């Protein structure tokens, strides 16, 4: 082969290599829109999707490929709540009687499908609930914390294991409140505003003190209990509730009971006829 022939072949090979590199560069993903080239966009606040943690930028000496990004569940965003009204007691049984508002509060435990159906029915009527979650339920159904908050509802603490908290020692009561608070903080970034005593309508002084030490300035009791946990049926449940409720009432209800899910639309319509509007416990006390 002549020198001229070898020179032509080398030039052709260099041109082919440059063309290949240019093609690869054209197919490489560019910066994600809205990130300034810093990595993927996190989902919007309250999104049920997952966010990607961007992998560290490779160095020149790195021989291994860039690690695959790790999926992590998003933290639920706790809606901002207004300060409570001055003079709000350490244990709230009801809100101001002169207001045409009531708070529908729920023991948070049970079948997540029923809990979701209950939330959806409330949302269809433009109503927001207050859910006092049991910690062991959050261990089993952690997605429910995000779902409750994403719907604009309020989330609080109903102890870790739903024991008779007034019968416990101070250390035991503290542990029950603190363990549930830790789950709430881990899942949502906040322990919530309200603590409701378990297996009791009212917290005794020892339980109120232990709740305060965990970070709860206010316990949430109730003045209307239609005993939906006994599964009386949707019709009887809504009659019991509507004949007892009045302005400022805090109503105690339970997730995990199909009769409560079935009764909710009639309850909301009945409250409207009475001129009462359901709000969260915090809204009732602002």
């Amino acid at each position: 082969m002549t020198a001229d022939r070898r020179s032509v072949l080398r030039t052709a090979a260099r041109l082919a290599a440059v063309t290949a590199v240019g093609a690869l560069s054209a197919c490489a993903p560019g910066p994600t829109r809205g990130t300034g080239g810093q990595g993927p966009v996190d989902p919007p606040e309250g999104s049920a999707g997952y966010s990607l943690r961007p992998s560290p930028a490779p160095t020149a000496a790195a021989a291994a490929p860039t690690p695959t990004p790790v999926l992590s569940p998003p933290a639920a965003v706790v809606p901002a709540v207004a300060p409570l009204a001055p003079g709000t007691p350490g244990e709230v049984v009801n809100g101001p009687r002169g207001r045409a508002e009531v708070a529908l509060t729920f023991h948070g435990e049970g079948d997540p499908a029923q809990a979701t159906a209950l939330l959806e029915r409330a949302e269809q009527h433009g109503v927001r609930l207050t859910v006092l979650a049991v910690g062991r339920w959050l261990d089993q159904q952690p997605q429910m914390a995000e779902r409750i908050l994403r719907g604009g509802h309020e989330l609080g603490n109903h102890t870790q294991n739903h024991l008779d908290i007034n019968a416990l020692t101070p250390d035991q009561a503290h542990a029950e409140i603190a363990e549930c608070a830790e789950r709430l903080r881990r899942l949502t970034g906040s322990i919530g505003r309200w603590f409701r005593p378990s297996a009791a309508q009212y917290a005794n002084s020892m339980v109120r003190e232990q709740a305060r030490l965990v970070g709860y300035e206010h316990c949430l009791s109730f003045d209307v209990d239609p005993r939906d946990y006994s599964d009386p049926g949707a019709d009887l449940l809504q009659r019991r509730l509507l004949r007892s409720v009045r302005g400022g009432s805090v109503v105690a209800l339970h997730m995990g009971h199909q009769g409560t899910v079935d009764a909710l639309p009639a309850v909301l319509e009945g409250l409207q006829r009475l001129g009462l509007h359901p709000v969260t416990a915090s809204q009732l006390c602002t």
Side-chain angles (χ1 to χ4, degrees):
M1 183 180 294
T2 66
D4 290 343
R5 175 64 174 164
R6 286 194 297 271
S7 176
V8 168
L9 290 175
R10 284 195 299 269
T11 301
R14 285 195 296 270
L15 287 172
V18 170
T19 302
V21 171
L24 288 173
S25 298
C27 294
T32 305
R33 180 169 54 86
T35 66
Q38 297 303 309
V41 179
D42 287 336
E45 292 186 344
S47 167
Y50 286 87
S51 61
L52 289 170
R53 292 179 186 160
S55 300
T59 64
T66 302
T68 302
V70 178
L71 289 172
S72 60
V77 176
V78 180
V81 290
L84 299 183
T88 299
E91 182 158 42
V92 172
V93 179
N94 58 266
R97 289 298 188 190
R99 296 171 66 170
E101 295 174 334
V102 298
L104 300 181
T105 68
F106 286 81
H107 166 118
E109 197 170 25
D111 182 355
Q114 289 177 330
T116 300
L118 188 72
L119 297 171
E120 289 174 348
R121 293 193 179 190
E123 290 157 12
Q124 288 164 5
H125 286 76
V127 167
R128 300 297 177 259
L129 311 175
T130 298
V131 180
L132 293 311
V134 177
R136 66 189 179 198
W137 185 57
L138 296 178
D139 289 340
Q140 298 162 358
Q141 308 295 338
Q143 78 283 359
M144 290 307 303
E146 192 270 345
R147 173 61 184 87
I148 289 164
L149 295 176
R150 179 162 47 86
H153 309 284
E154 190 167 30
L155 184 61
N157 183 325
H158 198 31
T159 74
Q160 178 63 22
N161 296 294
H162 204 265
L163 305 174
D164 182 357
I165 194 164
N166 286 337
L168 301 180
T169 67
D171 286 346
Q172 291 169 333
H174 189 277
E176 278 290 303
I177 301 167
E179 286 178 23
C180 184
E182 185 275 330
R183 272 109 180 124
L184 289 167
R185 182 184 286 109
R186 173 168 48 84
L187 291 170
T188 73
S190 168
I191 67 172
R193 167 172 278 165
W194 301 104
F195 166 72
R196 170 165 285 172
S198 51
Q201 182 175 2
Y202 307 109
N204 63 24
S205 59
M206 178 273 293
V207 170
R208 290 195 299 272
E209 173 62 13
Q210 297 309 314
R212 189 189 65 77
L213 291 173
V214 174
Y216 296 98
E217 295 296 328
H218 302 277
C219 296
L220 184 62
S221 182
F222 51 88
D223 65 314
V224 175
D225 181 8
R227 303 188 304 283
D228 63 331
Y229 53 82
S230 65
D231 296 315
D235 290 342
L236 181 54
L237 169 57
Q238 61 111 349
R239 289 200 301 272
R240 284 177 178 173
L241 192 158
L242 293 175
R243 72 173 174 238
S244 302
V245 72
R246 56 192 177 118
S249 283
V250 177
V251 183
L253 293 163
H254 295 72
M255 291 179 162
H257 294 264
Q258 188 59 43
T260 304
V261 179
D262 295 339
L264 188 61
V267 166
L268 297 177
E269 291 165 6
L271 290 173
Q272 186 176 23
R273 289 194 300 271
L274 294 171
L276 297 173
H277 178 60
V279 296
T280 66
S282 285
Q283 290 170 328
L284 186 66
C285 295
T286 54

